[in-house]
Structure formats: structure tokens, C-alpha cells
Amino acid sequence: MHIVHTLPDLRAALAAHARPAFVPTMGNLHDGHLALVRQAKPLGDAMVASIFVNRLQFLPHEDFDSYPRTWEADCAKLQAAGCDVLFAPRETDLYPEPQTFKVQPDPLLADILEGQFRPGFFTGVCTVVMKLFCAVFAGKAQGTAVFGQKDYQQLMVLRRMAQQFALPIELVAGPTQRADDGLALSSRNGYLSETERQEAVQLSLALRALAREAVAAAHALPGQVAALEQRAREALAARGWQPDYLTVRRRNDLQPPQAGDALVVLGAARLGTTRLIDNFEV
Ligand code: AMP
């Protein structure tokens, strides 16, 4: 595996490759990330992963400084998973000057759900992903990037970005990888105490229950949905969680559903100081 930190070194490492396949990450890699790497591997002529903790997508009170950085272990895992090129820019490589030009996503999609509770999050995500895409794919005949469905809204926002900017890059979704009890793997799971880790699966259980109830009430949507959502939030809150949202949305634009729409349930909630998210297509 070739490890590069600067844009010129990345370009040199990819010079002989016309069709890179790319998996961007913030490191602290787990089996969810590695599944994306293995999925991406046959989709291009070079498998490129990046590790970059992107300050732009963190709010001032969030965990940018304490976000786990596990460089040696990450390198070993990527190498074992078949990564060809690891791009690990320092902050000054990617942002040599303050990033005053930004990619502003459609507020209809990006200011709801995660965007409502983390204002500016998707602007930070779109800006860094556009920049990473330029770094990896400039001058390439074809490109593929793989993103996890675990971050459902993020994948959707990035797909719209790629479509609206007519990027010659195919975005592929990777299924959410889970622990044996059903908890979605996440770098932030490491923040959980032992007791919190036992409890953490309740977010996915609450979403599955909400999904079942939404299906049962499908004929009565949308009138019923608000009541089901409120019950789901209250049930988690009663267990000591602080839910941001547990909600049923239609898949194609994440707006409240009408009868007959294909559905997805999405949730975000804090357990202690750890904020977890999850989702299921219904
Ligand atoms: P992150 O390092 O959290 O920015 O995530 C990097 C990529 O890994 C994103 O595309 C995430 O959606 C994806 N990812 C994170 N957790 C999982 C998981 N449990 N299963 C599949 N993909 C994941």
C-alpha cells in the first residue's frame, strides 16, 4: 500500500490509473469502513482510501479535537483489506488557506434531520468530498466512490451533489455493517461506557419498531406518523436517551411520507455524551 500525504504525491501515485475507486473516511477504522474498501476494490483499477478528520463538518462544541485518531492500526487494516493507495492529507495539505469557497447543498435536503441538529454539517461534508474528488479523480476517465448507507442522508446529499454538478463519478452505496447485537458500527461507539454499550442497540430496536408500526399504519399515512414518531422518541427518552429525531420519511427526498411512498426510518439520539445515528429502509 502506497501512503501519500500531499496532492502532488497522490497524483503521482495515481498517474498510471484511469479508473480509481475511492472510499473517504475520517479514520478510526472498523469493519464498516473495511467492508466499503472490499466493495470498492473490484470497481476500479486502483483502490484509494482517504483518512482526514474534516474540521469543516464539526460544530465548535462537537468532538473534532477528541475524535479518535488511530493511525497505525488504520494503516494495518487498510493494507489487509487490499487498499492500494492511502491518501492522508494534513490539514495544511487540504486547506492550505482558509476554505472560503464552499459547496452549499440544497437546504430542502440538507437543513432537515442531521442538518437541523448539526447546522452546516452537510456544507462541510460536501466541501471536503468535492475537494477529495478533485484530488483523486481529476483527469481520470472514470471514477467510483463508495459511501455507507449508515449515513443515509449524507449519501443522498452527495448523490444530488454529484448529479447537479454532473460529476463523472458513480456513487455506490455500501450496506450498514452491524455488531452481533445489531448496533451499527461507528467510530463513535468507542466513546460508550460498558453499560452504555449494552444499551446502545436500543436505538436500532426503536427504529425497527417504528418501521413495523409505519408499515401497519401505511394506509393511514401521513396522519398517523407524527403520533408514532412521538411514541418512539418518548420510549427512548424513558430509557435515558436524549433523542434528536426518530422519524419516518419517504426515500426519494426525505420529506414526510404520503400513502404509497417507499419509506425509510431514520434516527439520531444521544446516550450520555455520545450521539448515535441509524436508519432502516422499510
Ligand atoms: P466516517 O469515517 O464516519 O466519515 O465514515 C466513512 C464512510 O464509512 C462513510 O461512507 C460512512 O457512511 C461509512 N460507514 C460508517 N459506518 C459504517 C457502517 N457501520 N457500515 C457501513 N458503512 C459505514
Side-chain angles (χ1 to χ4, degrees):
M1 181 172 77
H2 202 138
I3 299 176
V4 293
H5 301 286
T6 68
L7 266 80
D9 286 350
L10 175 67
R11 298 244 160 86
L14 290 178
H17 300 282
R19 301 180 299 110
F22 179 41
V23 174
T25 82
M26 297 205 299
N28 191 232
L29 302 180
H30 50 65
D31 286 344
H33 297 113
L34 301 176
L36 302 185
V37 169
R38 285 190 284 268
Q39 187 177 348
K41 179 88 177 164
L43 303 180
D45 61 359
M47 197 284 128
V48 186
S50 65
I51 294 179
F52 182 67
V53 185
N54 175 39
R55 188 188 291 274
L56 280 191
Q57 71 192 66
F58 288 78
L59 285 166
H61 67 271
E62 289 182 340
D63 55 344
F64 175 78
D65 288 325
S66 58
Y67 197 85
R69 288 152 172 96
T70 49
W71 172 249
E72 300 289 340
D74 289 351
C75 288
K77 287 176 186 175
L78 284 173
Q79 170 111 41
C83 177
D84 299 306
V85 177
L86 167 56
F87 179 43
R90 290 154 299 218
E91 210 160 15
T92 47
D93 292 309
L94 216 54
Y95 300 129
E97 56 187 82
Q99 186 69 31
T100 50
F101 282 56
K102 295 189 178 147
V103 179
Q104 195 71 57
D106 182 345
L108 274 181
L109 184 60
D111 288 1
I112 59 172
L113 306 173
E114 283 303 283
Q116 183 188 336
F117 290 92
R118 306 181 71 187
F121 172 70
F122 288 117
T123 300
V125 168
C126 287
T127 302
V128 78
V129 169
M130 184 66 100
K131 215 154 175 182
L132 290 167
F133 279 1
C134 291
V136 172
F137 296 118
K140 302 303 179 192
Q142 197 184 317
T144 306
V146 185
F147 291 89
Q149 270 194 308
K150 153 95 183 345
D151 298 279
Y152 196 91
Q153 188 180 6
Q154 169 174 283
L155 173 59
M156 217 154 146
V157 168
L158 292 172
R159 281 211 156 118
R160 294 281 163 86
M161 178 182 87
Q163 180 209 329
Q164 281 214 354
F165 286 106
L167 303 181
I169 300 163
E170 190 187 349
L171 268 63
V172 173
T176 302
Q177 304 297 311
R178 297 177 180 279
D180 288 343
D181 67 348
L183 172 67
L185 299 182
S186 162
S187 301
R188 291 190 168 98
N189 291 350
Y191 297 150
L192 299 168
S193 70
E194 223 168 279
T195 328
E196 288 171 339
R197 174 61 191 83
Q198 304 280 312
E199 173 66 19
V201 69
Q202 295 295 332
L203 174 61
S204 72
L205 294 178
L207 287 170
R208 283 188 192 279
L210 179 58
R212 277 195 305 275
E213 289 163 7
V215 168
H219 57 283
L221 290 173
Q224 288 256 308
V225 150
L228 298 178
E229 292 176 348
Q230 189 180 340
R231 258 213 335 254
R233 275 197 306 271
E234 284 169 1
L236 261 196
R239 302 184 64 94
W241 293 69
Q242 297 154 275
D244 281 347
Y245 59 86
L246 277 85
T247 187
V248 183
R249 297 295 167 109
R250 60 178 183 220
R251 278 189 216 171
N252 68 348
D253 60 3
L254 299 185
Q255 291 299 313
Q258 303 292 323
D261 286 337
L263 303 178
V264 56
V265 293
L266 307 106
R270 251 167 306 130
L271 185 55
T273 54
T274 308
R275 188 172 183 279
L276 301 177
I277 64 170
D278 203 348
N279 67 80
F280 294 96
E281 289 185 340
V282 179

